[in-house]
């Protein structure tokens, strides 16, 4: 039977080859056309309909990576990536993920992998200080952080917890969820999945931030109709334009009506490593939960979303299930954190390892330096756009997203976005706001530097024709 498995010796040899392959990719990704040109079904058509009956040599497997997979890959790791938000990788994170795979830990309980749990507790506590979050959110205090797969999962966990808490006093059918019209749809989706029947999208102001007076009005109307305000999301950096809701004021409304206040900083959370951005999240002492994604801007491979609660008791109350085969002395004594009680999944990977390696390899200084450079590059681009008579900004740039349009209107804006992406040399996102198209340029890929943004500006300048 032994020869059916890859031996450690074979693994060592193939492992070197694969590391070389990844290093080559990192070296060359900048020169690739960012988006693939394949038609739907093209990759599938190159693959057999059935799994192989006989074992195949590793050479063949590696060959098909280049022949079949690579033509269908979108190069999110190109420094010319300006679309959506970044989904960054970095050397330390990739290597730590490899170790995590090698160790194959299941960190559902403290007892099933003490290191998996305790390294995670330490890095989420470190991040409380690095992001200027309330001290109470540390695992050594009443709150705590946990790594989840995505911001959508984190927001869903917050909604489930809020529903569980409110359902002790009110019928679930009466509970209402609020978020701004610009909030990420994960609040709406999470509310659906968690069984809320009422979701109100609140009007925004001219900077696309939630209008607190409109929130108050919506709450009053719901109360008058016999409904119960239960949950509100504040966005710190919306996905559309990185707008920032007034966190303290929303927190005050939430406090007045006993609502759960969740803060979604999925993208912008990384910027909070720099004190000069923290005024955007002033008022977190009034928040019940918070999410940010190191897998966006913090050089930590997907998946890694950090979810904090100010008080872990309601989360654990909502998520805990007991089973006899899971009982163990440490859990029974109540002296450890069992992270399976902090989210829907039971099994969990050792994701803290990559975050730990990133924080140690870059140091807080290193992360701040790259974030500040990305923000500087974005603001410089925003100034160029603002000064161009053909173009205009549609929203401020509090972080590293530039939102703009062509003054010629919807058609030239759409045309410019398409022309830029058609070059294959850059990639950005065409979106819509207030019914009109605009272009999002997100500066933040791990390796994006001045020369990449300069080249992007030259392309914009060249393609922003007026006809
Ligand atoms: C990206 C984003 C999300 C969703 O993130 P996932 O981790 O992919 O679920 C949620 N909220 C905001 C503000 C985002 O930018």
């Amino acid at each position: 039977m032994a020869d059916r498995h890859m031996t450690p010796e074979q693994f060592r040899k193939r492992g070197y080859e694969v590391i070389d392959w990844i290093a080559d990719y990192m070296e060359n990704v900048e020169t690739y056309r960012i988006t693939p040109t394949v038609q739907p079904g093209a990759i599938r058509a190159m693959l057999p309909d059935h799994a192989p009956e006989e074992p195949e040599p590793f050479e063949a497997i590696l060959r098909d990576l280049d022949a079949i997979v690579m033509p269908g890959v979108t190069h999110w790791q190109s420094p010319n990536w300006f679309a959506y938000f970044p989904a960054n990788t970095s050397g330390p994170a990739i290597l730590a993920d490899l170790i995590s795979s090698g160790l194959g830990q299941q960190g559902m309980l403290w007892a099933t992998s003490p290191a998996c749990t305790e390294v995670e507790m330490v890095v989420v506590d470190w991040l409380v200080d690095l992001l200027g979050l309330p001290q109470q959110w540390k695992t050594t205090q009443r709150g705590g952080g946990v790594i989840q797969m995505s911001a959508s999962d984190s927001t869903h966990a917050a909604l489930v917890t809020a529903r569980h808490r409110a359902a002790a006093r009110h019928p679930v059918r009466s509970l209402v969820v609020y978020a701004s019209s610009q909030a990420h749809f994960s609040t709406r989706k999470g509310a659906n999945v968690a069984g809320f029947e009422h979701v109100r999208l609140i009007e925004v102001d001219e900077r696309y931030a939630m209008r607190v007076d409109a929130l108050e009005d919506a709450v009053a109307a719901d109360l008058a109709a016999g409904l119960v305000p239960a949950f509100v999301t504040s966005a710190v950096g919306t996905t559309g334009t990185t707008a920032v809701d007034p966190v303290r004021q929303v927190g005050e409304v939430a406090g007045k009506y006993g609502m759960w206040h969740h803060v979604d900083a999925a993208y912008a959370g990384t910027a909070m490593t720099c004190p000069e951005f923290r005024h955007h999240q002033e008022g977190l002492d009034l928040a019940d939960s918070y999410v940010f994604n190191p897998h966006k801007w913090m050089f930590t491979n997907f998946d890694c979303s950090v979810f904090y609660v100010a008080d872990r008791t309601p989360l654990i109350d909502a998520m805990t299930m007991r089973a006899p085969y899971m009982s163990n002395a440490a859990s029974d004594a109540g002296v450890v954190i069992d992270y399976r009680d902090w989210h829907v999944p039971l099994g969990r990977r050792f994701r803290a390892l990559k975050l730990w390696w990133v924080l140690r390899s870059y140091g807080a200084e290193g992360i701040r330096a790259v974030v500040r450079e990305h923000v500087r590059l974005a603001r410089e681009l925003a100034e160029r756009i603002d000064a161009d008579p053909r173009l205009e900004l549609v929203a401020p740039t509090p972080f590293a997203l530039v939102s703009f349009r062509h003054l010629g209107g919807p058609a030239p804006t759409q045309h410019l976005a398409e022309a830029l992406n058609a070059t294959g040399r850059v990639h950005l996102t065409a979106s819509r706001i207030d019914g009109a198209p605009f272009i999002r340029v997100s500066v933040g890929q791990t390796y994006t530097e001045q020369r990449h943004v300069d080249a992007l500006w030259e392309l914009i300048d060249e393609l922003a024709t007026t006809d």
Side-chain angles (χ1 to χ4, degrees):
M1 283 307 280
D3 62 352
R4 298 212 181 271
H5 302 293
M6 187 182 267
T7 64
E9 228 11 83
Q10 289 166 332
F11 179 83
R12 194 184 313 278
K13 176 169 178 294
R14 298 309 184 182
Y16 288 140
E17 286 172 28
V18 167
I19 293 288
D20 280 343
W21 189 96
I22 299 172
D24 288 347
Y25 181 69
M26 293 165 95
E27 220 161 54
N28 297 323
V29 64
E30 172 168 359
T31 64
Y32 296 161
R33 189 197 151 81
I34 296 184
T35 45
T37 52
V38 291
Q39 294 302 309
I43 305 298
R44 178 164 193 159
M46 287 190 274
L47 293 165
D49 287 335
H50 302 284
E53 192 62 36
E54 300 294 327
E56 296 188 53
F58 197 77
E59 288 80 5
I61 296 171
L62 208 50
R63 203 182 318 119
D64 285 348
L65 181 61
D66 288 316
I68 299 176
V69 174
M70 292 312 284
V73 162
T74 301
H75 299 292
W76 285 72
Q77 304 314 320
S78 168
N80 299 311
W81 178 265
F82 301 103
Y84 309 108
F85 282 135
N88 286 339
T89 68
S90 67
I94 296 166
L95 293 174
D97 232 8
L98 192 59
I99 300 283
S100 173
S101 294
L103 290 175
Q105 297 292 284
Q106 272 294 352
M108 48 202 171
L109 302 170
W110 176 87
T112 61
S113 180
C116 179
T117 297
E118 294 192 15
V119 172
E120 184 159 333
M121 290 164 68
V122 167
V123 294
V124 297
D125 284 354
W126 281 1
L127 284 164
V128 166
D129 292 331
L130 286 179
L131 271 54
L133 306 175
Q135 288 295 309
Q136 189 196 333
W137 296 7
K138 286 189 175 172
T139 59
T140 51
Q141 309 289 319
R142 285 179 56 192
V146 57
I147 300 177
Q148 305 237 12
M149 180 170 66
S150 71
S152 304
D153 288 283
S154 298
T155 298
H156 175 236
L159 282 153
V160 168
T161 307
R163 186 202 60 193
H164 188 82
R165 190 179 72 167
R169 284 170 290 127
H170 308 283
V172 169
R173 300 199 60 176
S174 68
L175 304 177
V176 190
V177 172
Y178 306 84
S180 92
S181 62
Q182 289 296 313
H184 189 268
F185 61 74
S186 49
T187 292
R188 262 181 297 155
K189 183 171 180 174
N192 266 345
V193 176
F196 287 92
E197 290 183 23
H198 312 281
V199 179
R200 310 275 182 252
L201 298 184
I202 306 300
E203 265 176 70
V204 291
D205 63 19
E206 69 291 345
R207 294 165 77 86
Y208 302 110
M210 189 194 287
R211 276 181 43 196
V212 179
D213 61 322
L215 173 65
E216 291 258 26
D217 289 350
V219 167
D222 285 324
L223 285 170
L227 298 175
V228 179
F231 186 99
V232 59
T233 295
S234 288
V236 174
T238 58
T239 313
T241 64
T242 61
V244 179
D245 292 339
V247 175
R248 176 164 297 282
Q249 287 169 275
V250 173
E252 283 163 1
V253 175
K256 194 152 100 191
Y257 299 102
M259 285 191 267
W260 185 280
H261 182 204
H262 176 61
V263 177
D264 179 358
Y267 157 75
T270 298
M272 303 308 164
T273 51
C274 308
E276 66 269 28
F277 296 104
R278 291 186 194 154
H279 64 96
H280 289 302
Q281 61 180 18
E282 201 283 315
L284 287 184
D285 50 304
L286 300 179
D288 294 292
S289 54
Y290 181 94
V291 59
F292 99 100
N293 285 354
H295 71 224
K296 276 186 169 156
W297 201 4
M298 206 181 257
F299 323 122
T300 307
N301 290 44
F302 192 87
D303 52 339
C304 187
S305 173
V306 180
F307 176 56
Y308 287 102
V309 282
D311 179 356
R312 60 180 174 267
T313 308
L315 172 65
I316 293 171
D317 281 351
M319 294 287 181
T320 300
M321 293 284 153
R322 299 274 164 238
Y325 44 85
M326 293 245 158
S327 119
N328 67 85
S331 298
D332 295 348
V335 294
V336 293
I337 279 185
D338 288 328
Y339 271 130
R340 62 150 192 200
D341 297 333
W342 291 55
H343 48 43
V344 173
L346 168 62
R348 58 201 322 273
R349 312 198 296 121
F350 197 166
R351 284 178 295 213
L353 198 69
K354 60 190 172 190
L355 190 49
W356 188 43
W357 282 26
V358 165
L359 294 175
R360 295 183 65 187
S361 300
Y362 282 84
E365 250 337 292
I367 293 172
R368 286 187 206 113
V370 182
V371 163
R372 285 180 176 135
E373 179 62 1
H374 287 157
V375 172
R376 188 190 67 76
L377 291 170
R379 290 184 179 164
E380 189 180 83
L381 178 67
E383 281 166 23
R384 285 167 156 174
I385 287 168
D386 200 31
D388 191 297
R390 299 164 298 176
L391 307 169
E392 73 171 348
L393 298 171
V394 304
T397 295
F399 306 107
L401 181 79
V402 183
S403 307
F404 74 103
R405 67 177 154 229
H406 198 293
L407 275 168
T413 302
Q414 198 66 39
H415 173 82
L416 176 58
E418 284 163 13
L420 286 162
N421 285 341
T423 66
R425 286 151 61 192
V426 295
H427 199 60
L428 34 74
T429 306
S431 185
R432 296 179 81 82
I433 199 152
D434 298 334
F438 77 103
I439 300 173
R440 289 170 80 267
V441 174
S442 156
V443 179
Q445 203 284 326
T446 309
Y447 304 106
T448 299
E449 294 173 13
Q450 181 84 49
R451 63 194 167 89
H452 304 107
V453 185
D454 286 347
L456 169 65
W457 169 248
E458 277 164 34
L459 276 179
I460 293 173
D461 187 34
E462 179 190 325
L463 296 170
T465 49
T466 37
D467 44 275

